[in-house]
């Protein structure tokens, strides 16, 4: 399917600089451009590629100044990165969706399946499951008993949803994601010199537009529900423990770990390998840099980094001092020796 520069500009409310009839049929990175592709420039580090790319069309910010002529047709927009996201969403939405139930899938006769649903080979859909219209359940996915799924959900291969969990509309689970495994609940038993397992009888609730990355786990609650609220995006290899409540539109990078019974506010952003202690509360719009650790509650509207978290400027000043600690320790030791010698000479 082809689109002209004029059509694209109309869709993203941009302005064509060059041949408005130039057409494209695919996407490419600006450094790997090719004829018939559209690219975008959002990072100034890549500006030099603008003059050499073979892409037919390039999206650029409207205020960019050209130092020399370019071969590509430019579409100037307010924010090139946001516009390419819209185009990719349009491209994805135009792909034909699979429909029908593969003969090798198991679908319980007690399950309720909506319209225009796809269920791939070797997928399992248990008793009492409710699958909404337009859902895509890929091969080897497991949907256990009593699960409720809204409309247009996508469950990729080998993702698992345990019994009783609830999904809103447009939820996406990537391969290997596990929703509703038991929370980590064990009580030491001195009489048997072992641990007694605490049954986890709650569920997980994923609200509308949640996306769960590959091999990410969201544990079921001891009682009630673990909540992942509307619009939350979790990267690969994230751990969400039992009884947590993740606020709307919060995003977490890979290897973040949230301990149990913690409440995270709305619009938070956690970098890779952030660790959050249990039974605390994180306010709205808290940004935590990579590898930060939060042992206690944090107030809203903060940009923090480190363990315990501190403001970014203070953190980087502290790191500069930390690198000098061996030198400072030697200086301190030398001063102590001088003081000791002065005391002896009294």
């Amino acid at each position: 399917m082809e689109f002209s520069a004029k059509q694209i500009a109309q869709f993203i409310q941009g302005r064509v600089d060059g041949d408005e009839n130039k057409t494209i049929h695919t996407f490419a990175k600006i450094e790997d451009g090719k004829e018939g592709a559209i690219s975008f420039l959002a990072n100034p580090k890549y500006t030099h590629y603008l003059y050499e790319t073979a892409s037919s069309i390039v999206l650029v910010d409207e205020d960019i100044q050209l130092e020399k002529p370019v071969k590509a047709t430019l579409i100037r927009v307010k924010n090139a990165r946001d516009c390419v996201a819209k185009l990719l969403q349009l491209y994805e939405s135009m792909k034909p969706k699979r429909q029908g139930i593969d003969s090798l899938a198991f679908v319980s006769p007690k399950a309720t399946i909506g319209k225009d649903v796809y269920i791939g080979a070797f997928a399992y859909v248990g008793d009492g499951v409710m699958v909404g219209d337009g859902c895509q359940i890929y091969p080897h996915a497991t949907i256990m008993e009593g699960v409720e799924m809204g409309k247009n959900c996508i469950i990729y291969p080998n993702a698992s949803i345990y019994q009783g969990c609830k999904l809103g509309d447009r939820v996406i689970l990537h391969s290997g994601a596990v929703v509703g495994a038991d929370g980590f609940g064990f009580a030491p038993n001195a009489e048997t010199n072992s641990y007694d397992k605490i049954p986890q009888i709650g569920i997980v609730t994923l609200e509308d537009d949640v996306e769960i990355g590959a091999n990410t786990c969201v544990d079921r609650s001891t009682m009630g529900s673990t909540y992942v609220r509307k619009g939350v995006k979790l990267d690969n290899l994230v751990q969400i423990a039992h009884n947590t409540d993740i606020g709307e539109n919060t995003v977490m990078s890979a290897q973040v770990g949230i301990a149990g019974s913690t409440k995270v506010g709305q619009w938070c952003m956690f970098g890779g390998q952030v660790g959050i202690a249990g039974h605390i509360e994180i306010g709205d719009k808290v940004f935590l840099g990579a590898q930060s650790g939060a042992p206690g509650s944090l107030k809203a509207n903060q940009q923090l980094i480190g363990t315990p978290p501190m403001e970014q400027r203070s953190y980087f000043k502290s790191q500069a001092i930390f690198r000098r600690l061996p030198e400072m320790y030697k200086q301190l030791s030398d001063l102590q020796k001088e003081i000791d010698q002065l005391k002896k000479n009294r």
Side-chain angles (χ1 to χ4, degrees):
M1 185 172 295
E2 287 192 341
F3 295 93
S4 69
K6 183 178 180 180
Q7 290 173 319
I8 295 169
Q10 288 174 342
F11 178 72
I12 58 177
Q13 298 181 329
R15 176 170 58 86
V16 178
D17 187 350
D19 182 3
E20 67 176 15
N21 295 315
K22 185 71 70 72
T23 59
I24 57 94
H25 59 270
T26 189
F27 291 82
K29 294 188 293 184
I30 192 168
E31 62 268 35
D32 300 328
K34 57 185 178 180
E35 185 68 26
I38 184 171
S39 301
F40 76 103
L41 175 66
N43 190 328
K45 293 180 180 179
Y46 293 85
T47 300
H48 63 281
Y49 287 114
L50 182 61
Y51 305 105
E52 14 180 293
T53 186
S55 288
S56 300
I57 298 174
V58 180
L59 297 181
V60 297
D61 290 344
E62 60 186 9
D63 57 355
I64 191 169
Q65 300 295 319
L66 299 180
E67 297 177 358
K68 53 185 178 180
V70 297
K71 295 182 293 184
T73 291
L74 305 183
I75 299 179
R76 295 178 179 271
V77 292
K78 290 184 178 179
N79 188 307
R81 188 180 297 278
D82 288 349
C83 286
V84 79
K86 292 178 182 177
L87 291 176
L88 287 168
Q89 290 167 3
L90 175 65
Y91 176 79
E92 189 69 18
S93 69
M94 298 181 74
K95 287 183 179 178
K97 289 186 177 181
R98 297 183 181 184
Q99 293 183 15
I101 300 174
D102 193 285
S103 61
L104 295 177
F106 174 82
V107 178
S108 168
K110 297 180 181 179
T112 302
I113 309 299
K115 299 176 183 178
D116 303 323
V117 168
Y118 164 68
I119 302 177
F122 305 108
Y124 173 88
V125 179
D127 291 351
V129 170
M130 299 178 65
V131 179
D133 296 347
C135 288
Q136 306 272 294
I137 300 173
Y138 283 81
H140 294 281
T142 300
I143 317 295
M144 295 177 69
E145 289 68 26
V147 168
E148 297 180 15
M149 296 172 55
K151 298 178 181 179
N152 298 308
C153 295
I154 302 175
I155 313 300
Y156 281 108
N158 296 304
S160 300
I161 309 172
Y162 282 39
Q163 65 274 10
C165 293
K166 297 181 179 180
L167 280 64
D169 296 337
R170 300 173 300 280
V171 170
I172 299 174
L173 302 185
H174 288 278
S175 293
V178 179
V179 172
D182 283 355
F184 194 65
F186 298 91
N189 187 327
E191 294 181 1
T192 61
N193 195 32
S194 64
Y195 287 94
D196 291 337
K197 183 176 176 63
I198 301 172
Q200 307 290 294
I201 62 173
I203 63 169
V204 170
T205 301
L206 307 180
E207 294 186 349
D208 295 350
D209 300 302
V210 166
E211 183 161 351
I212 306 293
N215 295 318
T216 283
C217 299
V218 183
D219 292 346
R220 71 196 305 111
S221 60
T222 309
M223 289 175 276
S225 181
T226 298
Y227 287 98
V228 180
R229 302 293 183 178
K230 182 178 178 180
V232 168
K233 314 297 182 187
L234 304 181
D235 197 2
N236 305 331
L237 297 168
V238 170
Q239 163 64 23
I240 305 296
H242 58 180
N243 299 96
T244 57
D245 189 331
I246 309 301
E248 290 186 9
N249 298 307
T250 284
V251 295
M252 302 182 191
S253 295
Q255 299 183 5
V256 167
I258 311 293
S261 299
T262 288
K263 181 175 176 60
V264 177
Q266 300 179 10
W267 290 102
C268 292
M269 297 179 68
F270 298 163
Q273 298 185 333
V274 163
I276 307 293
H279 301 274
I280 65 173
E281 185 167 343
I282 308 296
D284 297 341
K285 295 184 179 179
V286 172
F287 300 164
L288 292 175
Q291 296 190 325
S292 297
S297 296
L298 298 173
K299 294 181 180 179
N301 300 304
Q302 298 189 82
Q303 295 187 23
L304 307 172
I305 188 170
T307 305
M310 63 182 74
E311 291 184 359
Q312 294 181 7
R313 179 174 294 183
S314 298
Y315 173 80
F316 289 116
K317 284 183 177 179
S318 300
Q319 289 301 302
I321 293 172
F322 181 79
R323 287 194 293 269
R324 294 181 54 209
L325 281 180
E327 176 189 346
M328 294 170 68
Y329 178 75
K330 183 178 183 304
Q331 290 173 345
L332 185 61
S333 297
D334 292 342
L335 287 171
Q336 186 63 53
K337 289 177 183 177
E338 289 183 23
I339 292 171
D340 292 343
Q341 188 62 44
L342 289 171
K343 286 181 178 179
K344 285 181 182 180
N345 294 336
R346 279 183 175 180

